[in-house]
Amino acid sequence: KAKKARSSEIKRVKQKLKDLDRQSLKWQHRQTQPVFNRMRVLQEKVRFKSIGKEPECVSCGKTNMDFCCGHFKTVGAHSELRYDEYNTHLQCNRYCNKGLSGNINGNKTTRGYIQGLIDWYGEDKANHIIDYCKSKPSKKWAWQELEEMRKGFNAEIRRLEKLL
């Protein structure tokens, strides 16, 4: 009896800790960010497939890369844009996103994020995206909101995987 009681007590404490984690914004962001990033990469790949082109990095234009979800405005400084589709586009993971810290303005061998947006969408829409990212008001996230968003992102991932 004592062993069974102790086991149920351990389960109860573990559940309580899990609920506390679930209500933590930091924990919710750690769960939601990779799901959102995966969804955005799939969305961009489907978009490129629909126009009959190979997916390419927004900053350097290279294809057949290990792509990631590159943020125009950083997640740390602009948390309101963390899960915003206007702020995220395909980017090569190692070179542009990590190696060149997003490669916003480009260098001798790359066009940069801003010029990539112009090449992809045209000057008017690219300027709209840039202005939107610069002017969006800050936002406080709620853990319940992040949980709901993650459910939606997962559903979208399942839908997109069927298209690829």
Side-chain angles (χ1 to χ4, degrees):
K1 284 185 178 182
K3 195 173 187 180
K4 191 173 185 180
R6 183 181 161 128
S7 177
S8 66
E9 177 67 18
I10 289 172
K11 283 181 183 177
R12 192 178 63 73
V13 169
K14 282 184 177 181
Q15 184 60 44
K16 197 172 186 178
L17 287 173
K18 186 177 178 183
D19 289 342
L20 284 174
D21 269 351
R22 190 171 158 238
Q23 294 173 14
S24 161
L25 274 178
K26 192 174 184 178
W27 185 86
Q28 286 291 342
H29 282 304
R30 276 197 316 265
Q31 302 303 309
T32 306
Q33 190 70 56
V35 175
F36 172 76
N37 291 351
R38 175 151 170 68
M39 179 195 71
R40 282 298 293 143
V41 167
L42 288 172
Q43 283 177 335
E44 289 290 299
K45 286 182 176 182
V46 167
R47 182 177 70 84
F48 273 100
K49 184 179 178 182
S50 71
I51 59 175
K53 291 178 74 180
E54 280 289 315
E56 66 178 35
C57 172
V58 67
S59 298
C60 66
K62 293 179 184 174
T63 59
N64 296 324
M65 301 294 291
D66 175 25
F67 289 115
C68 67
C69 175
H71 290 73
F72 178 65
K73 293 289 184 179
T74 63
V75 169
H78 300 275
S79 64
E80 67 277 5
L81 294 169
R82 178 186 293 253
Y83 307 112
D84 196 309
E85 294 181 16
Y86 272 155
N87 188 46
T88 54
H89 296 85
L90 272 187
Q91 208 169 32
C92 50
N93 194 22
R94 274 220 153 96
Y95 184 65
C96 291
N97 195 28
K98 290 181 181 173
L100 297 175
S101 299
N103 197 9
I104 300 300
N105 295 312
N107 58 25
K108 292 177 185 174
T109 60
T110 64
R111 63 184 177 199
Y113 205 116
I114 295 170
Q115 185 60 46
L117 290 175
I118 293 169
D119 292 350
W120 281 7
Y121 300 113
E123 195 150 346
D124 290 340
K125 188 169 181 182
N127 286 332
H128 172 73
I129 290 170
I130 293 166
D131 292 341
Y132 171 85
C133 289
K134 288 181 179 177
S135 65
K136 185 156 184 193
S138 62
K139 176 177 177 47
K140 288 278 189 185
W141 297 98
W143 70 268
Q144 300 92 335
E145 181 182 16
L146 293 172
E147 205 167 68
E148 284 301 309
M149 287 170 55
R150 191 167 58 252
K151 288 177 187 174
F153 296 158
N154 279 319
E156 179 69 1
I157 286 171
R158 287 188 295 277
R159 186 187 74 78
L160 292 168
E161 284 176 338
K162 291 177 184 173
L163 297 174
L164 287 178

